[in-house]
Amino acid sequence: MATTAAPFGATEGGRVERMGRRALVRVRSIFGAPTLNAALLTGTTLFLVVFGLVMVLSSSSVESYVAGGSFFTDFVKQAAFASIGVVVMLVAARLPAATWQRVAWIGILLGIALQVLVFTPLGFGANGNRNWIGVGGFSLQPSEFVKVALCVWLAMIMTRKQKRLDSFWQVWIPAAPVAGLSIGLVLLGSDLGTVVIMVALSFGALWFAGVKWWHLLLPVAALVVLAVPVVLSSASRVRRITAFLQGCTDADYYSGCWQQLHGTWALSAGGLFGVGLGNSRAKWNWLPEADNDYIFAIIGEELGLLGAVVVLALFALLAWTLLRIVRQARLQMTRVVTGAAMVWLVGQALVNIGVVLGLLPVLGVPLPFISSGGSQLIAALLIVGVVLSLERVDNPRARGEELTVSRVRPRAAARV
């Protein structure tokens, strides 16, 4: 009986299909079986990072050229930090979930130790805040990594005390002393914006852990009372809050209102569609921190209302995805870390955007994933990696898909 050979195209097509399946199995074996939550979280995060790189290039180009004769200096640095951060996120996402409970104490103690170094000769300040350390030409903002440590450490404590959270003292010991020390060290450096975010994520961790709301009332009241002398202790803070409450006068133009007013003018100049990417006028030394705290103003100016709405929609998607993970989580550790991360990232984004829009007094916090700054970007990507790690082992669908992949691998290898 005569036989006919398979068409060349069919043979090649089958080979390509088998190679694709083999590659998919390898990717799944390295990074875990994909779930909708993981895909949404990873995709949204990476889109924000790429979008941020584009906006950092646009908003920092003028000052980069003035400082060093190149439009790309700050962009190249930010791209390097983004590359490191993405690698850190992927590595963290693949670590076993039990790792985070084991390293929680080490992480918080290391974070506190680094924050203490801010007040040594290694530390230095900028814009009235002493919150950085510098070694060999490299600088680090320890408070950003203290945020990560707080999320993981509080989750570990709330997990171990899960059955004793009805007791006020069980909730706050040792959570209050350790978190208070971490936040107090940042406050000593006068970085009030970071302190606000750290306080918020700490209470967010307790809330998602299932702590009774009346157990949170007394600490909240104490913090409100403590906030009054903290604000009054700084003339700069008083000016900013006064300008926010009473409005800007001509006398305030060069002191407390310059940044706020120029940020508002940049947003208003954008209109619906913006003046075009790279065409901002405010970045020509009119708007301080154009690539950092006020990058949302440059987004509004260059990309218009549509660009600003896209950013808001991305953070809304990020919040929705993290809430999905919280709702579907079976483990206390996953719920608390994810909830705290959501309060941190989305809350900080809302504070940053609220400041730029004039809805809040100037606090000085970056827009997560988008503003320039290596420490904040790497820390934000790290906490996303931690959430992905916990979600990967907590999600029943993920475990089922990993089992399916392990069963398919020998047959896929045999066909190749």
Side-chain angles (χ1 to χ4, degrees):
M1 180 182 293
T3 58
T4 57
F8 175 76
T11 303
E12 289 298 313
R15 183 177 300 172
V16 170
E17 182 180 357
R18 290 193 296 271
M19 291 176 63
R21 290 177 180 175
R22 187 177 181 181
L24 179 60
V25 168
R26 288 182 176 178
V27 169
R28 286 181 172 181
S29 67
I30 295 173
F31 298 110
T35 63
L36 176 60
N37 292 335
L40 283 173
L41 181 56
T42 305
T44 304
T45 299
L46 293 179
F47 189 92
L48 284 168
V49 171
V50 173
F51 181 81
L53 288 175
V54 173
M55 294 312 304
V56 167
L57 173 60
S58 176
S59 58
S60 67
S61 57
V62 173
E63 292 188 3
S64 292
Y65 183 81
V66 171
S70 172
F71 293 106
F72 302 99
T73 302
D74 291 342
F75 167 75
V76 170
K77 291 180 182 178
Q78 189 70 4
F81 291 135
S83 300
I84 295 171
V86 170
V87 171
V88 168
M89 179 186 75
L90 295 177
V91 171
R94 190 52 189 164
L95 290 176
T99 302
W100 305 113
Q101 291 200 45
R102 288 197 297 265
V103 303
W105 271 110
I106 298 174
I108 194 67
L109 292 176
L110 179 60
I112 291 173
L114 288 174
Q115 191 63 39
V116 169
L117 290 179
V118 168
F119 306 102
T120 70
L122 293 176
F124 65 94
N127 299 324
N129 297 336
R130 188 177 179 89
N131 204 18
W132 288 265
I133 56 177
V135 179
F138 293 93
S139 62
L140 177 73
Q141 189 174 359
S143 59
E144 293 295 333
F145 297 96
V146 175
K147 293 177 186 176
V148 180
L150 269 179
C151 290
V152 176
W153 183 83
L154 286 170
M156 181 270 295
I157 293 295
M158 294 300 108
T159 299
R160 292 184 177 180
K161 295 190 172 188
Q162 186 173 359
K163 297 181 179 180
R164 292 174 285 170
L165 295 182
D166 289 335
S167 168
F168 179 86
W169 297 111
Q170 290 290 341
V171 169
W172 289 105
I173 303 296
V178 175
L181 175 61
S182 304
I183 297 170
L185 289 172
V186 179
L187 183 60
L188 285 177
S190 300
D191 193 349
L192 185 59
T194 301
V195 166
V196 170
I197 301 303
M198 293 175 71
V199 170
L201 78 84
S202 298
F203 277 96
L206 298 178
W207 175 265
F208 284 102
V211 174
K212 307 300 183 185
W213 63 268
W214 56 85
H215 288 170
L216 304 177
L217 283 181
L218 182 60
V220 168
L223 287 174
V224 170
V225 173
L226 180 63
V228 176
V230 169
V231 170
L232 296 178
S233 64
S234 170
S236 174
R237 293 174 195 150
V238 172
R239 282 197 306 270
R240 285 180 288 177
I241 293 178
T242 302
F244 171 74
L245 294 175
Q246 300 180 0
C248 293
T249 64
D250 292 341
D252 298 324
Y253 178 68
Y254 290 103
S255 56
C257 291
W258 177 280
Q259 190 176 36
Q260 178 184 339
L261 287 175
H262 282 275
T264 302
W265 295 340
L267 283 170
S268 63
L272 182 60
F273 300 105
V275 298
L277 187 63
N279 294 328
S280 167
R281 297 180 180 87
K283 68 183 181 184
W284 289 79
N285 292 324
W286 288 105
L287 180 61
E289 305 295 334
D291 62 331
N292 197 320
D293 297 347
Y294 267 72
I295 197 169
F296 188 75
I298 304 300
I299 294 172
E301 182 184 12
E302 295 189 346
L303 304 180
L305 178 63
L306 292 181
V309 169
V310 167
V311 173
L312 290 172
L314 287 170
F315 280 105
L317 178 59
L318 181 67
W320 180 74
T321 303
L322 292 172
L323 281 175
R324 271 177 58 93
I325 296 174
V326 171
R327 184 175 62 86
Q328 296 174 6
R330 298 177 306 110
L331 303 177
Q332 177 83 325
M333 188 77 180
T334 306
R335 282 194 297 271
V336 178
V337 169
T338 306
M342 186 197 68
V343 174
W344 164 14
L345 298 174
V346 179
Q348 183 168 316
L350 292 177
V351 170
N352 176 277
I353 293 171
V355 167
V356 175
L357 294 178
L359 301 176
L360 294 171
V362 177
L363 285 176
V365 295
L367 187 58
F369 305 113
I370 295 179
S371 293
S372 66
S375 296
Q376 64 89 15
L377 179 56
I378 294 173
L381 289 170
L382 174 57
I383 196 60
V384 170
V386 175
V387 172
L388 289 171
S389 170
L390 294 168
E391 194 272 345
R392 178 172 55 84
V393 299
D394 198 353
N395 192 300
R397 179 184 171 190
R399 293 196 307 276
E401 290 185 2
E402 286 178 351
L403 180 60
T404 301
V405 170
S406 66
R407 290 175 177 174
V408 168
R409 187 184 306 176
R411 295 198 296 271
R415 287 197 297 267
V416 176

